[in-house]
Amino acid sequence: MTIKEIWFDANYIYGRDEKGQEYKQSLLWYPKLRVASAEERSSYTIGFDGIHWRGLDEDISFESFSYEDAEPSALQKFFLTHKEINVAEFARMMGLNPTLLRNYINGFKKPSKEREQEIIEQIHKLGKEMLAA
């Protein structure tokens, strides 16, 4: 697949391939594009295997438009939108390997339903502690 045309809204980047098929991905996966101006977003080049924004130092592969997880899970959304949370310390607090949690957040690995629930419960616990302080 080769993306021939792209456009944006507030939350997604959309692409259309050579056959007219449309795809979308959440901009949460691409923080530089998420906060970029319309002018910065329009300054890209389409290469052999993806799209490159030189001024933003951002790349999106054509292949990524066909991934099943175009929309981050609730767990991923939390960490992708709350950069103030120290992921390594959060993982250590709950006895989880920090690299494994980062892999869950970035979509390189998928947690089991039970593991995901444990992490979400820890997020809720942290929120309650912050409210009580």
Side-chain angles (χ1 to χ4, degrees):
M1 169 213 337
T2 301
I3 298 295
K4 297 291 188 183
E5 177 186 3
I6 64 167
W7 64 98
F8 296 86
D9 68 17
N11 300 306
Y12 295 95
I13 178 172
Y14 298 86
R16 183 175 292 119
D17 69 13
E18 66 278 356
K19 296 177 184 174
Q21 176 72 37
E22 289 186 8
Y23 302 88
K24 74 176 182 179
Q25 294 188 60
S26 173
L27 287 173
L28 290 175
W29 295 122
Y30 308 102
K32 292 176 187 176
L33 281 172
R34 185 173 175 229
V35 299
S37 68
E39 183 179 339
E40 289 171 315
R41 287 179 178 178
S42 68
S43 183
Y44 64 89
T45 56
I46 295 180
F48 177 71
D49 60 354
I51 307 160
H52 178 68
W53 288 263
R54 185 178 189 145
L56 298 171
D57 191 29
E58 186 74 84
D59 296 287
I60 298 180
S61 69
F62 296 143
E63 178 186 15
S64 68
F65 279 92
S66 63
Y67 292 168
E68 291 181 18
D69 60 353
E71 183 69 35
S73 69
L75 172 73
Q76 292 168 320
K77 279 183 185 180
F78 175 80
F79 285 102
L80 290 170
T81 58
H82 292 283
K83 297 292 189 180
E84 69 276 12
I85 302 291
N86 183 314
V87 173
E89 290 305 317
F90 182 89
R92 285 187 193 100
M93 178 177 67
M94 64 176 297
L96 185 64
N97 179 301
T99 300
L100 182 59
L101 181 56
R102 281 190 199 92
N103 284 334
Y104 292 158
I105 294 165
N106 293 317
F108 301 132
K109 292 192 175 196
K110 290 213 179 267
S112 67
K113 293 287 184 193
E114 295 81 13
R115 175 65 68 147
E116 185 173 21
Q117 188 59 39
E118 287 175 30
I119 297 167
I120 290 172
E121 286 173 9
Q122 189 66 40
I123 291 168
H124 286 241
K125 181 181 174 188
L126 178 62
K128 288 176 184 173
E129 290 173 5
M130 293 177 79
L131 283 171

